[in-house]
Amino acid sequence: MLSSENSVHTSMSLRLWTLLMLLGLIWGGSFFFARVAVAHVPPFTLVLLRVALAALALHLYLRGRHGLYSALFTRWREFLLMGLINNAIPHAFIFLGQTHIGAGLAAILNATTPVWTVLIANMATEDEKLNAAKINGCLLGLAGTVVLIGPGALLDVYGRSGNVPLWALVLPVLAAVSYGFSAIYSKRFRDLAPPVTAAGQLTASTLLMLPVALFVDTPWTLPAPPLSALLAVLGLALVSTAYAYILYFRIIAEAGATNTSLVTLLVPPSAILLGFLFLGETLQPVDLAGMALIASGLVLLDGRVLKPRRSS
């Protein structure tokens, strides 16, 4: 079990909530980027491009600062495991699933991450034990995500083209489980600067995905993707991966695994709000209801409102 040292409190500061919402906004765009890119780039190659370009960007940004190279040399085994369970496996599973299901349904399945994180944290840690608020908050947030995406997501499963294969639905759920394990495991990187942790795991992910992409996809035999797909890959790598993981590891070092995993509940409403603000899409009553459920779940998980005030 992980030590209870550096215990993480249930509630988060306004600054951490702001960072979490920013991360949710950034990752809300990742499903859009992936949907555009995966139509032209095979899933394993897309994972490789995502992590390799992000790793390169972070290496150029750090230029060896904050002890990057010594950390890579002394902790390469830890980075390999982190890269496997936080990048290689979940990214590949989500992209493979998105070859048969839409972004909405993928977001629903990905939003189960906090539930898995709470359960895994209860078994593997001393400082993030299961309680009624965590259970109810996760379930309420998950219900809000399902309401938010709405019946339209079911068309991905029971559409005109027939039923989607079961594996396409299972893989994003397995990705959420992998994210849950990675959120717990990432606690051991608290002593490193967030950009170093991000660069280390993305470097390891690149080494893991390179032979897989070359062997399975043989990308040199594929036609050149259109400009839209190339821009989607760049957005996915630089914004939704390189910068996003700097935020992710900064939040997890201060707020803990369970709190940080709440970002997956913020992804669907973020995507809808982006569409409302920049694409002229309208907000429906069901959208507001789903967001209200998610907000209620986050309040329960935060725990601050429900705590009795101490008398002065």
Side-chain angles (χ1 to χ4, degrees), residues 81-126:
L81 181 54
M82 188 64 183
L84 180 67
I85 61 177
N86 199 41
N87 294 135
I89 288 176
H91 292 348
F93 281 2
I94 290 173
F95 292 164
L96 283 168
Q98 282 195 272
T99 60
H100 285 76
I101 63 176
L105 185 54
I108 287 180
L109 300 174
N110 185 59
T112 62
T113 297
V115 178
W116 298 112
T117 305
V118 165
L119 295 175
I120 296 167
N122 182 66
M123 295 184 293
T125 71
E126 297 291 344

mmCIF file of all heavy atoms in Angstrom, residues 81-126:
data_model
loop_
_atom_site.group_PDB
_atom_site.id
_atom_site.type_symbol
_atom_site.label_atom_id
_atom_site.label_comp_id
_atom_site.label_asym_id
_atom_site.label_seq_id
_atom_site.Cartn_x
_atom_site.Cartn_y
_atom_site.Cartn_z
ATOM 1 N N LEU A 81 6.411 1.940 -16.535
ATOM 2 C CA LEU A 81 5.117 1.460 -16.047
ATOM 3 C C LEU A 81 4.069 2.564 -16.131
ATOM 4 O O LEU A 81 2.926 2.328 -16.546
ATOM 5 C CB LEU A 81 5.255 0.956 -14.608
ATOM 6 C CG LEU A 81 3.973 0.398 -13.973
ATOM 7 C CD1 LEU A 81 3.358 -0.700 -14.841
ATOM 8 C CD2 LEU A 81 4.258 -0.122 -12.563
ATOM 9 N N MET A 82 4.464 3.783 -15.759
ATOM 10 C CA MET A 82 3.518 4.897 -15.829
ATOM 11 C C MET A 82 3.104 5.173 -17.271
ATOM 12 O O MET A 82 1.922 5.409 -17.567
ATOM 13 C CB MET A 82 4.164 6.147 -15.220
ATOM 14 C CG MET A 82 3.213 7.316 -15.064
ATOM 15 S SD MET A 82 1.888 6.941 -13.893
ATOM 16 C CE MET A 82 0.933 8.448 -14.021
ATOM 17 N N GLY A 83 4.069 5.136 -18.183
ATOM 18 C CA GLY A 83 3.746 5.340 -19.586
ATOM 19 C C GLY A 83 2.827 4.270 -20.138
ATOM 20 O O GLY A 83 1.977 4.536 -20.991
ATOM 21 N N LEU A 84 2.976 3.041 -19.628
ATOM 22 C CA LEU A 84 2.142 1.934 -20.088
ATOM 23 C C LEU A 84 0.697 2.109 -19.649
ATOM 24 O O LEU A 84 -0.229 1.988 -20.464
ATOM 25 C CB LEU A 84 2.709 0.613 -19.558
ATOM 26 C CG LEU A 84 1.951 -0.655 -19.962
ATOM 27 C CD1 LEU A 84 2.073 -0.908 -21.457
ATOM 28 C CD2 LEU A 84 2.456 -1.859 -19.160
ATOM 29 N N ILE A 85 0.487 2.406 -18.349
ATOM 30 C CA ILE A 85 -0.880 2.416 -17.820
ATOM 31 C C ILE A 85 -1.562 3.782 -17.932
ATOM 32 O O ILE A 85 -2.788 3.868 -17.803
ATOM 33 C CB ILE A 85 -0.910 1.940 -16.348
ATOM 34 C CG1 ILE A 85 -0.087 2.866 -15.455
ATOM 35 C CG2 ILE A 85 -0.417 0.508 -16.249
ATOM 36 C CD1 ILE A 85 -0.135 2.485 -13.971
ATOM 37 N N ASN A 86 -0.779 4.838 -18.191
ATOM 38 C CA ASN A 86 -1.389 6.159 -18.297
ATOM 39 C C ASN A 86 -1.459 6.677 -19.726
ATOM 40 O O ASN A 86 -2.180 7.636 -19.996
ATOM 41 C CB ASN A 86 -0.611 7.176 -17.438
ATOM 42 C CG ASN A 86 -1.418 8.425 -17.141
ATOM 43 O OD1 ASN A 86 -2.612 8.355 -16.851
ATOM 44 N ND2 ASN A 86 -0.778 9.577 -17.204
ATOM 45 N N ASN A 87 -0.710 6.060 -20.640
ATOM 46 C CA ASN A 87 -0.713 6.510 -22.037
ATOM 47 C C ASN A 87 -0.961 5.365 -23.011
ATOM 48 O O ASN A 87 -1.981 5.344 -23.706
ATOM 49 C CB ASN A 87 0.618 7.182 -22.381
ATOM 50 C CG ASN A 87 0.843 8.473 -21.634
ATOM 51 O OD1 ASN A 87 1.912 8.720 -21.118
ATOM 52 N ND2 ASN A 87 -0.159 9.316 -21.549
ATOM 53 N N ALA A 88 -0.007 4.443 -23.076
ATOM 54 C CA ALA A 88 -0.032 3.434 -24.133
ATOM 55 C C ALA A 88 -1.329 2.624 -24.125
ATOM 56 O O ALA A 88 -2.021 2.529 -25.149
ATOM 57 C CB ALA A 88 1.186 2.509 -23.991
ATOM 58 N N ILE A 89 -1.667 2.036 -22.987
ATOM 59 C CA ILE A 89 -2.865 1.191 -22.923
ATOM 60 C C ILE A 89 -4.145 2.012 -23.077
ATOM 61 O O ILE A 89 -4.964 1.724 -23.969
ATOM 62 C CB ILE A 89 -2.879 0.371 -21.620
ATOM 63 C CG1 ILE A 89 -1.815 -0.724 -21.685
ATOM 64 C CG2 ILE A 89 -4.255 -0.244 -21.384
ATOM 65 C CD1 ILE A 89 -1.689 -1.533 -20.401
ATOM 66 N N PRO A 90 -4.385 3.042 -22.235
ATOM 67 C CA PRO A 90 -5.683 3.733 -22.367
ATOM 68 C C PRO A 90 -5.868 4.476 -23.679
ATOM 69 O O PRO A 90 -6.961 4.451 -24.258
ATOM 70 C CB PRO A 90 -5.687 4.694 -21.168
ATOM 71 C CG PRO A 90 -4.266 4.851 -20.777
ATOM 72 C CD PRO A 90 -3.604 3.562 -21.098
ATOM 73 N N HIS A 91 -4.811 5.135 -24.181
ATOM 74 C CA HIS A 91 -4.958 5.837 -25.459
ATOM 75 C C HIS A 91 -5.295 4.855 -26.576
ATOM 76 O O HIS A 91 -6.175 5.114 -27.408
ATOM 77 C CB HIS A 91 -3.676 6.594 -25.808
ATOM 78 C CG HIS A 91 -3.386 7.761 -24.912
ATOM 79 N ND1 HIS A 91 -4.308 8.260 -24.020
ATOM 80 C CD2 HIS A 91 -2.272 8.529 -24.764
ATOM 81 C CE1 HIS A 91 -3.785 9.282 -23.371
ATOM 82 N NE2 HIS A 91 -2.552 9.466 -23.796
ATOM 83 N N ALA A 92 -4.570 3.736 -26.618
ATOM 84 C CA ALA A 92 -4.814 2.743 -27.672
ATOM 85 C C ALA A 92 -6.226 2.180 -27.571
ATOM 86 O O ALA A 92 -6.919 2.037 -28.593
ATOM 87 C CB ALA A 92 -3.775 1.621 -27.576
ATOM 88 N N PHE A 93 -6.677 1.875 -26.360
ATOM 89 C CA PHE A 93 -8.010 1.305 -26.189
ATOM 90 C C PHE A 93 -9.092 2.304 -26.602
ATOM 91 O O PHE A 93 -10.070 1.937 -27.261
ATOM 92 C CB PHE A 93 -8.215 0.890 -24.729
ATOM 93 C CG PHE A 93 -7.558 -0.413 -24.370
ATOM 94 C CD1 PHE A 93 -6.808 -1.121 -25.291
ATOM 95 C CD2 PHE A 93 -7.686 -0.940 -23.086
ATOM 96 C CE1 PHE A 93 -6.202 -2.318 -24.963
ATOM 97 C CE2 PHE A 93 -7.088 -2.143 -22.744
ATOM 98 C CZ PHE A 93 -6.342 -2.837 -23.682
ATOM 99 N N ILE A 94 -8.923 3.578 -26.218
ATOM 100 C CA ILE A 94 -9.938 4.588 -26.572
ATOM 101 C C ILE A 94 -9.968 4.813 -28.081
ATOM 102 O O ILE A 94 -11.040 4.873 -28.696
ATOM 103 C CB ILE A 94 -9.675 5.899 -25.821
ATOM 104 C CG1 ILE A 94 -9.959 5.718 -24.330
ATOM 105 C CG2 ILE A 94 -10.538 7.028 -26.383
ATOM 106 C CD1 ILE A 94 -9.571 6.909 -23.477
ATOM 107 N N PHE A 95 -8.799 4.923 -28.698
ATOM 108 C CA PHE A 95 -8.760 5.162 -30.146
ATOM 109 C C PHE A 95 -9.316 3.960 -30.920
ATOM 110 O O PHE A 95 -10.024 4.137 -31.916
ATOM 111 C CB PHE A 95 -7.331 5.455 -30.597
ATOM 112 C CG PHE A 95 -6.784 6.765 -30.091
ATOM 113 C CD1 PHE A 95 -5.426 7.033 -30.132
ATOM 114 C CD2 PHE A 95 -7.624 7.728 -29.561
ATOM 115 C CE1 PHE A 95 -4.916 8.239 -29.662
ATOM 116 C CE2 PHE A 95 -7.131 8.934 -29.085
ATOM 117 C CZ PHE A 95 -5.765 9.188 -29.137
ATOM 118 N N LEU A 96 -9.011 2.751 -30.461
ATOM 119 C CA LEU A 96 -9.577 1.563 -31.099
ATOM 120 C C LEU A 96 -11.103 1.555 -30.965
ATOM 121 O O LEU A 96 -11.820 1.242 -31.918
ATOM 122 C CB LEU A 96 -8.983 0.290 -30.482
ATOM 123 C CG LEU A 96 -7.576 -0.091 -30.928
ATOM 124 C CD1 LEU A 96 -7.005 -1.177 -30.033
ATOM 125 C CD2 LEU A 96 -7.583 -0.568 -32.385
ATOM 126 N N GLY A 97 -11.594 1.912 -29.775
ATOM 127 C CA GLY A 97 -13.032 1.973 -29.584
ATOM 128 C C GLY A 97 -13.680 3.017 -30.471
ATOM 129 O O GLY A 97 -14.774 2.804 -31.003
ATOM 130 N N GLN A 98 -12.982 4.168 -30.659
ATOM 131 C CA GLN A 98 -13.550 5.246 -31.461
ATOM 132 C C GLN A 98 -13.569 4.944 -32.960
ATOM 133 O O GLN A 98 -14.127 5.732 -33.719
ATOM 134 C CB GLN A 98 -12.793 6.550 -31.196
ATOM 135 C CG GLN A 98 -13.194 7.221 -29.889
ATOM 136 C CD GLN A 98 -12.728 8.666 -29.815
ATOM 137 O OE1 GLN A 98 -11.621 8.939 -29.388
ATOM 138 N NE2 GLN A 98 -13.591 9.579 -30.235
ATOM 139 N N THR A 99 -12.991 3.834 -33.373
ATOM 140 C CA THR A 99 -13.159 3.425 -34.756
ATOM 141 C C THR A 99 -14.570 2.885 -34.997
ATOM 142 O O THR A 99 -14.996 2.757 -36.150
ATOM 143 C CB THR A 99 -12.131 2.356 -35.150
ATOM 144 O OG1 THR A 99 -12.290 1.194 -34.309
ATOM 145 C CG2 THR A 99 -10.705 2.878 -35.012
ATOM 146 N N HIS A 100 -15.298 2.579 -33.893
ATOM 147 C CA HIS A 100 -16.658 2.062 -34.027
ATOM 148 C C HIS A 100 -17.699 2.861 -33.246
ATOM 149 O O HIS A 100 -18.898 2.694 -33.487
ATOM 150 C CB HIS A 100 -16.724 0.597 -33.564
ATOM 151 C CG HIS A 100 -16.130 -0.373 -34.539
ATOM 152 N ND1 HIS A 100 -14.776 -0.543 -34.697
ATOM 153 C CD2 HIS A 100 -16.713 -1.219 -35.425
ATOM 154 C CE1 HIS A 100 -14.542 -1.460 -35.623
ATOM 155 N NE2 HIS A 100 -15.702 -1.883 -36.079
ATOM 156 N N ILE A 101 -17.271 3.673 -32.287
ATOM 157 C CA ILE A 101 -18.226 4.460 -31.515
ATOM 158 C C ILE A 101 -17.845 5.936 -31.602
ATOM 159 O O ILE A 101 -16.693 6.276 -31.876
ATOM 160 C CB ILE A 101 -18.288 4.023 -30.034
ATOM 161 C CG1 ILE A 101 -16.943 4.263 -29.338
ATOM 162 C CG2 ILE A 101 -18.738 2.585 -29.920
ATOM 163 C CD1 ILE A 101 -16.957 3.936 -27.851
ATOM 164 N N GLY A 102 -18.825 6.790 -31.363
ATOM 165 C CA GLY A 102 -18.598 8.225 -31.466
ATOM 166 C C GLY A 102 -17.948 8.799 -30.216
ATOM 167 O O GLY A 102 -17.776 8.127 -29.198
ATOM 168 N N ALA A 103 -17.618 10.078 -30.297
ATOM 169 C CA ALA A 103 -16.940 10.751 -29.195
ATOM 170 C C ALA A 103 -17.821 10.827 -27.952
ATOM 171 O O ALA A 103 -17.330 10.743 -26.827
ATOM 172 C CB ALA A 103 -16.523 12.160 -29.630
ATOM 173 N N GLY A 104 -19.137 10.990 -28.143
ATOM 174 C CA GLY A 104 -20.041 11.099 -27.009
ATOM 175 C C GLY A 104 -20.053 9.853 -26.152
ATOM 176 O O GLY A 104 -19.906 9.909 -24.926
ATOM 177 N N LEU A 105 -20.223 8.710 -26.795
ATOM 178 C CA LEU A 105 -20.245 7.462 -26.048
ATOM 179 C C LEU A 105 -18.876 7.170 -25.443
ATOM 180 O O LEU A 105 -18.775 6.674 -24.315
ATOM 181 C CB LEU A 105 -20.679 6.312 -26.971
ATOM 182 C CG LEU A 105 -20.874 4.948 -26.306
ATOM 183 C CD1 LEU A 105 -21.834 5.045 -25.130
ATOM 184 C CD2 LEU A 105 -21.377 3.933 -27.326
ATOM 185 N N ALA A 106 -17.820 7.483 -26.160
ATOM 186 C CA ALA A 106 -16.474 7.301 -25.604
ATOM 187 C C ALA A 106 -16.282 8.148 -24.355
ATOM 188 O O ALA A 106 -15.658 7.726 -23.376
ATOM 189 C CB ALA A 106 -15.417 7.654 -26.646
ATOM 190 N N ALA A 107 -16.846 9.371 -24.359
ATOM 191 C CA ALA A 107 -16.738 10.250 -23.192
ATOM 192 C C ALA A 107 -17.506 9.682 -21.998
ATOM 193 O O ALA A 107 -17.057 9.781 -20.855
ATOM 194 C CB ALA A 107 -17.256 11.641 -23.530
ATOM 195 N N ILE A 108 -18.671 9.090 -22.248
ATOM 196 C CA ILE A 108 -19.429 8.452 -21.167
ATOM 197 C C ILE A 108 -18.604 7.351 -20.520
ATOM 198 O O ILE A 108 -18.470 7.262 -19.295
ATOM 199 C CB ILE A 108 -20.754 7.867 -21.686
ATOM 200 C CG1 ILE A 108 -21.751 8.971 -21.987
ATOM 201 C CG2 ILE A 108 -21.356 6.919 -20.642
ATOM 202 C CD1 ILE A 108 -23.080 8.455 -22.498
ATOM 203 N N LEU A 109 -18.057 6.470 -21.349
ATOM 204 C CA LEU A 109 -17.293 5.344 -20.823
ATOM 205 C C LEU A 109 -16.030 5.820 -20.114
ATOM 206 O O LEU A 109 -15.633 5.270 -19.082
ATOM 207 C CB LEU A 109 -16.945 4.376 -21.963
ATOM 208 C CG LEU A 109 -18.165 3.785 -22.682
ATOM 209 C CD1 LEU A 109 -17.733 2.962 -23.895
ATOM 210 C CD2 LEU A 109 -18.992 2.934 -21.734
ATOM 211 N N ASN A 110 -15.407 6.855 -20.646
ATOM 212 C CA ASN A 110 -14.209 7.408 -20.014
ATOM 213 C C ASN A 110 -14.548 8.071 -18.675
ATOM 214 O O ASN A 110 -13.700 8.116 -17.773
ATOM 215 C CB ASN A 110 -13.564 8.433 -20.944
ATOM 216 C CG ASN A 110 -12.246 8.960 -20.419
ATOM 217 O OD1 ASN A 110 -11.314 8.211 -20.188
ATOM 218 N ND2 ASN A 110 -12.166 10.261 -20.204
ATOM 219 N N ALA A 111 -15.773 8.551 -18.539
ATOM 220 C CA ALA A 111 -16.182 9.231 -17.310
ATOM 221 C C ALA A 111 -16.381 8.274 -16.141
ATOM 222 O O ALA A 111 -16.664 8.717 -15.023
ATOM 223 C CB ALA A 111 -17.466 10.031 -17.543
ATOM 224 N N THR A 112 -16.225 6.970 -16.365
ATOM 225 C CA THR A 112 -16.251 6.024 -15.246
ATOM 226 C C THR A 112 -14.929 6.018 -14.491
ATOM 227 O O THR A 112 -14.816 5.347 -13.458
ATOM 228 C CB THR A 112 -16.556 4.592 -15.736
ATOM 229 O OG1 THR A 112 -15.525 4.152 -16.638
ATOM 230 C CG2 THR A 112 -17.890 4.537 -16.453
ATOM 231 N N THR A 113 -13.935 6.765 -14.962
ATOM 232 C CA THR A 113 -12.621 6.771 -14.317
ATOM 233 C C THR A 113 -12.680 7.094 -12.827
ATOM 234 O O THR A 113 -12.021 6.421 -12.026
ATOM 235 C CB THR A 113 -11.672 7.750 -15.034
ATOM 236 O OG1 THR A 113 -11.473 7.309 -16.388
ATOM 237 C CG2 THR A 113 -10.322 7.817 -14.342
ATOM 238 N N PRO A 114 -13.412 8.149 -12.386
ATOM 239 C CA PRO A 114 -13.436 8.418 -10.945
ATOM 240 C C PRO A 114 -13.954 7.260 -10.108
ATOM 241 O O PRO A 114 -13.493 7.036 -8.988
ATOM 242 C CB PRO A 114 -14.359 9.644 -10.821
ATOM 243 C CG PRO A 114 -14.329 10.276 -12.159
ATOM 244 C CD PRO A 114 -14.174 9.158 -13.139
ATOM 245 N N VAL A 115 -14.931 6.505 -10.648
ATOM 246 C CA VAL A 115 -15.468 5.359 -9.912
ATOM 247 C C VAL A 115 -14.376 4.324 -9.699
ATOM 248 O O VAL A 115 -14.163 3.825 -8.577
ATOM 249 C CB VAL A 115 -16.666 4.746 -10.665
ATOM 250 C CG1 VAL A 115 -17.189 3.531 -9.918
ATOM 251 C CG2 VAL A 115 -17.767 5.781 -10.856
ATOM 252 N N TRP A 116 -13.649 3.998 -10.768
ATOM 253 C CA TRP A 116 -12.564 3.017 -10.649
ATOM 254 C C TRP A 116 -11.458 3.536 -9.741
ATOM 255 O O TRP A 116 -10.879 2.785 -8.947
ATOM 256 C CB TRP A 116 -12.001 2.679 -12.030
ATOM 257 C CG TRP A 116 -12.982 2.056 -12.952
ATOM 258 C CD1 TRP A 116 -13.523 2.591 -14.086
ATOM 259 C CD2 TRP A 116 -13.578 0.758 -12.824
ATOM 260 N NE1 TRP A 116 -14.412 1.721 -14.664
ATOM 261 C CE2 TRP A 116 -14.468 0.590 -13.919
ATOM 262 C CE3 TRP A 116 -13.460 -0.275 -11.896
ATOM 263 C CZ2 TRP A 116 -15.214 -0.564 -14.093
ATOM 264 C CZ3 TRP A 116 -14.207 -1.435 -12.073
ATOM 265 C CH2 TRP A 116 -15.069 -1.565 -13.164
ATOM 266 N N THR A 117 -11.166 4.830 -9.847
ATOM 267 C CA THR A 117 -10.099 5.407 -9.024
ATOM 268 C C THR A 117 -10.445 5.327 -7.541
ATOM 269 O O THR A 117 -9.596 4.997 -6.704
ATOM 270 C CB THR A 117 -9.834 6.870 -9.419
ATOM 271 O OG1 THR A 117 -9.548 6.936 -10.819
ATOM 272 C CG2 THR A 117 -8.654 7.441 -8.649
ATOM 273 N N VAL A 118 -11.693 5.632 -7.211
ATOM 274 C CA VAL A 118 -12.131 5.556 -5.816
ATOM 275 C C VAL A 118 -11.993 4.129 -5.290
ATOM 276 O O VAL A 118 -11.493 3.901 -4.173
ATOM 277 C CB VAL A 118 -13.584 6.055 -5.681
ATOM 278 C CG1 VAL A 118 -14.168 5.654 -4.337
ATOM 279 C CG2 VAL A 118 -13.652 7.560 -5.843
ATOM 280 N N LEU A 119 -12.418 3.152 -6.079
ATOM 281 C CA LEU A 119 -12.345 1.752 -5.644
ATOM 282 C C LEU A 119 -10.901 1.290 -5.501
ATOM 283 O O LEU A 119 -10.534 0.623 -4.519
ATOM 284 C CB LEU A 119 -13.089 0.861 -6.652
ATOM 285 C CG LEU A 119 -14.601 1.087 -6.760
ATOM 286 C CD1 LEU A 119 -15.193 0.222 -7.873
ATOM 287 C CD2 LEU A 119 -15.287 0.788 -5.433
ATOM 288 N N ILE A 120 -10.053 1.646 -6.469
ATOM 289 C CA ILE A 120 -8.647 1.238 -6.413
ATOM 290 C C ILE A 120 -7.928 1.943 -5.265
ATOM 291 O O ILE A 120 -7.137 1.330 -4.537
ATOM 292 C CB ILE A 120 -7.952 1.528 -7.756
ATOM 293 C CG1 ILE A 120 -8.578 0.672 -8.872
ATOM 294 C CG2 ILE A 120 -6.447 1.233 -7.670
ATOM 295 C CD1 ILE A 120 -8.188 1.115 -10.271
ATOM 296 N N ALA A 121 -8.224 3.237 -5.086
ATOM 297 C CA ALA A 121 -7.590 3.994 -3.998
ATOM 298 C C ALA A 121 -7.968 3.413 -2.646
ATOM 299 O O ALA A 121 -7.151 3.385 -1.719
ATOM 300 C CB ALA A 121 -7.998 5.462 -4.081
ATOM 301 N N ASN A 122 -9.197 2.947 -2.521
ATOM 302 C CA ASN A 122 -9.630 2.361 -1.255
ATOM 303 C C ASN A 122 -8.822 1.121 -0.908
ATOM 304 O O ASN A 122 -8.525 0.855 0.264
ATOM 305 C CB ASN A 122 -11.116 2.020 -1.338
ATOM 306 C CG ASN A 122 -11.655 1.454 -0.037
ATOM 307 O OD1 ASN A 122 -11.709 2.140 0.978
ATOM 308 N ND2 ASN A 122 -12.042 0.188 -0.053
ATOM 309 N N MET A 123 -8.440 0.348 -1.928
ATOM 310 C CA MET A 123 -7.679 -0.881 -1.697
ATOM 311 C C MET A 123 -6.177 -0.632 -1.591
ATOM 312 O O MET A 123 -5.483 -1.333 -0.856
ATOM 313 C CB MET A 123 -7.952 -1.886 -2.833
ATOM 314 C CG MET A 123 -9.380 -2.380 -2.900
ATOM 315 S SD MET A 123 -9.610 -3.634 -4.186
ATOM 316 C CE MET A 123 -9.326 -2.665 -5.668
ATOM 317 N N ALA A 124 -5.672 0.378 -2.305
ATOM 318 C CA ALA A 124 -4.222 0.513 -2.469
ATOM 319 C C ALA A 124 -3.599 1.637 -1.671
ATOM 320 O O ALA A 124 -2.378 1.751 -1.637
ATOM 321 C CB ALA A 124 -3.883 0.709 -3.949
ATOM 322 N N THR A 125 -4.402 2.487 -1.036
ATOM 323 C CA THR A 125 -3.828 3.623 -0.316
ATOM 324 C C THR A 125 -4.351 3.665 1.113
ATOM 325 O O THR A 125 -5.356 3.034 1.458
ATOM 326 C CB THR A 125 -4.159 4.965 -1.001
ATOM 327 O OG1 THR A 125 -5.544 5.253 -0.827
ATOM 328 C CG2 THR A 125 -3.835 4.921 -2.475
ATOM 329 N N GLU A 126 -3.665 4.437 1.933
ATOM 330 C CA GLU A 126 -4.091 4.655 3.306
ATOM 331 C C GLU A 126 -4.791 5.998 3.489
ATOM 332 O O GLU A 126 -5.464 6.225 4.488
ATOM 333 C CB GLU A 126 -2.875 4.613 4.249
ATOM 334 C CG GLU A 126 -2.167 3.267 4.284
ATOM 335 C CD GLU A 126 -2.999 2.173 4.940
ATOM 336 O OE1 GLU A 126 -3.980 2.525 5.638
ATOM 337 O OE2 GLU A 126 -2.689 0.992 4.741
#
